[in-house]
Amino acid sequence: LESCAALCEESGVRFTSELRTEDFIERTTASLEQGFFAPALRTFNAAIVNPPYRKLAVGSRPHRQLREAGIDVSNLYSGFLALLSRLLEADAELVAIVPRSFCNGPYFRPFRQDFLGRMALRRLHVFESRTAAFSNESVLQENIILRAERSASPPRTVEISSSRGDFTDSVRSHLLPWSEVVSPRDEHMFIRLPASEREHSARGQLAEITGRLQDLGLTVSTGKIVDFRAREHLRSEPVPGSHPLLYPSHFEAGLLCWPKIGGKKPNGIDVPTTRSDLLIPAGVYVV
């Protein structure tokens, strides 16, 4: 804030700041309740935010506070955005750097419905690399930058831009109709981010496929095992009773090479009876 004040002074811009050391969720939800002893509700005409990204534990104090304010979210960052959409005045601007996970998936559907009902997306910037933008901080996260305005009406067009994320790469940008970013026929309100003409073309081809996988009796899963959450069951070498664990490093020239002893990845997982959730029934699968 001191650096910002110095820069503004050099440019002849009046600047004042106020640093608040308080819980944003607790204070804002209390203000929104407008109870007799609630703090006054303060609104803003702009917000620039990099909110915390952690998951929100069901039943935790901030989770309950958000639910009481009519906000159904599973992450802190989406809770922050939902609150900000209520604090911004008409036509106010919001700029946020957040994970792109809110753009799709069932967990974020209530948030998308709430946020897009209050905010009009104007621009979405996609980082093509998960690591380049924050290499100094060792952050491994798919982030985007969004710019939105407080408006209940959706925009006519949205600017989609992309870059690798480091300072050496140029920014590529194109305008898309809102209906191609959020389809009016999509009840889930997925936010599509075709960062290039090639991706946009591919999406157009997929849109012509009217059937659904469930019509064919097929389901999709990303897999049962999240290795860093099951470290105690991983085995560097196969042991009696363990199950093979396959990574991309186990494939060479299109063929399976397993086990790969001495490699960086484990070769098996020893699943106790209490963790049957890590296995899937024997059957026919496409990997």
Side-chain angles (χ1 to χ4, degrees):
L1 290 173
E2 290 173 353
S3 298
C4 188
L7 185 63
C8 287
E9 186 177 2
E10 291 175 11
S11 303
V13 175
R14 180 176 173 270
F15 175 85
T16 60
S17 64
E18 178 184 357
L19 180 63
R20 294 195 172 191
T21 54
E22 58 191 11
D23 188 307
F24 176 72
I25 291 178
E26 184 170 338
R27 181 178 179 86
T28 306
T29 52
S31 298
L32 291 171
E33 287 178 6
Q34 290 292 284
F36 190 72
F37 296 104
L41 181 64
R42 185 178 178 185
T43 58
F44 303 88
N45 59 18
I48 304 172
V49 294
N50 175 18
Y53 297 168
R54 290 196 312 273
K55 283 190 176 296
L56 197 57
V58 175
S60 63
R61 181 177 175 84
H63 182 261
R64 294 197 309 271
Q65 291 168 334
L66 289 167
R67 289 295 293 268
E68 289 170 2
I71 297 172
D72 183 10
V73 293
S74 57
N75 288 71
L76 277 173
Y77 81 82
S78 51
F80 270 62
L81 293 185
L83 288 174
L84 285 164
S85 71
R86 289 157 169 78
L87 295 181
L88 292 174
E89 301 161 359
D91 300 323
E93 186 176 24
L94 167 67
V95 175
I97 181 165
V98 291
R100 63 181 294 173
S101 53
F102 76 92
C103 294
N104 50 48
Y107 293 119
F108 287 95
R109 180 181 177 182
F111 167 73
R112 287 192 297 271
Q113 292 173 327
D114 178 83
F115 189 75
L116 296 179
R118 300 170 184 272
M119 304 294 296
L121 292 175
R122 297 299 183 187
R123 180 175 176 180
L124 293 158
H125 183 82
V126 180
F127 293 112
E128 296 165 357
S129 169
R130 298 179 68 184
T131 57
F134 307 102
S135 57
N136 291 337
E137 289 78 24
S138 300
V139 172
L140 184 63
Q141 179 75 56
E142 288 186 289
N143 287 327
I144 63 173
I145 300 176
L146 66 86
R147 184 173 74 85
E149 294 176 2
R150 182 77 160 87
S151 172
S153 302
R156 291 179 58 244
T157 59
V158 182
E159 182 180 1
I160 306 293
S161 59
S162 64
S163 66
R164 175 176 160 75
D166 52 37
F167 292 110
T168 62
D169 191 28
S170 59
V171 174
R172 295 162 291 283
S173 176
H174 58 285
L175 283 176
L176 289 178
W178 172 247
S179 59
E180 294 187 21
V181 178
V182 179
S183 172
R185 296 175 296 176
D186 182 7
E187 62 183 38
H188 298 285
M189 301 184 74
F190 286 173
I191 300 172
R192 294 163 175 84
L193 302 171
S196 65
E197 288 300 328
R198 183 181 178 186
E199 291 182 21
H200 185 235
S201 175
R203 187 195 171 282
Q205 295 176 41
L206 288 172
E208 296 177 2
I209 302 175
T210 57
R212 297 179 298 174
L213 288 173
Q214 66 186 60
D215 299 334
L216 304 174
L218 301 177
T219 57
V220 175
S221 172
T222 53
K224 297 288 188 179
I225 298 172
V226 181
D227 55 7
F228 66 85
R229 292 178 180 159
R231 286 194 180 100
E232 67 271 25
H233 306 306
L234 304 182
R235 301 292 180 264
S236 58
E237 298 183 14
V239 297
S242 66
H243 300 270
L245 194 58
L246 305 181
Y247 288 84
S249 59
H250 287 112
F251 294 87
E252 295 181 0
L255 299 176
L256 176 63
C257 179
W258 183 93
K260 187 173 284 188
I261 306 301
K264 294 182 179 180
K265 295 295 186 180
N267 287 284
I269 183 166
D270 193 6
V271 181
T273 55
T274 56
R275 292 302 307 272
S276 59
D277 60 301
L278 295 174
L279 301 177
I280 55 177
V284 180
Y285 298 88
V286 176
V287 179

